[in-house]
Amino acid sequence: MAKKAKTESVLARETRLRAEAEARAKAEQEKKAAEEALAQENARALAAKKVRAKKVKKPRFVREKNETLPPPVKPKTGERPARKATAAGKLMSQNIKPKTTGGPLAGGDPSKPLGHRGPTG
């Protein structure tokens, strides 16, 4: 028996199947190309991130603390320092200030400067 000639519908179906197969193959190639491009772009982005220097934070303002030394220890001696011979020296050795005479604040003459002691003074 001789083969029958293919009808138009069979030819159309075969061409449709071939076209679909070619379309699938082309789509897979495009998908692979897109994945490779994406992988290259990700690699570039990672390289760029690695190259970029780390951002340096600004230090917070902290006032410097001065070193505090303990107060000097005075040696305790039984003897007191020698007193001065003058009255002012005696008062200074006892940490007492002499009263000022004259001047408006001391109750003296307001026209005279503070501490004025007369014509010799």
Side-chain angles (χ1 to χ4, degrees), residues 54-90:
K54 186 175 180 182
K55 183 178 177 183
V56 179
K57 286 188 176 183
K58 290 183 180 179
R60 291 185 176 149
F61 176 75
V62 178
R63 191 175 300 276
E64 292 182 10
K65 292 184 179 179
N66 294 331
E67 293 183 22
T68 56
L69 297 175
V73 179
K74 294 181 181 179
K76 292 185 179 180
T77 59
E79 298 179 21
R80 300 186 99 197
R83 290 188 178 181
K84 309 283 182 182
T86 62
K90 287 179 183 178

Side-chain angles (χ1 to χ4, degrees), residues 39-53:
Q40 287 177 355
E41 190 174 325
N42 287 341
R44 280 191 217 123
L46 288 175
K49 284 182 183 178
K50 288 179 184 177
V51 170
R52 190 176 356 163

Side-chain angles (χ1 to χ4, degrees), residues 99-113:
K99 289 184 180 179
T100 57
T101 59
L105 299 177
D109 188 10
S111 63
K112 306 216 175 178

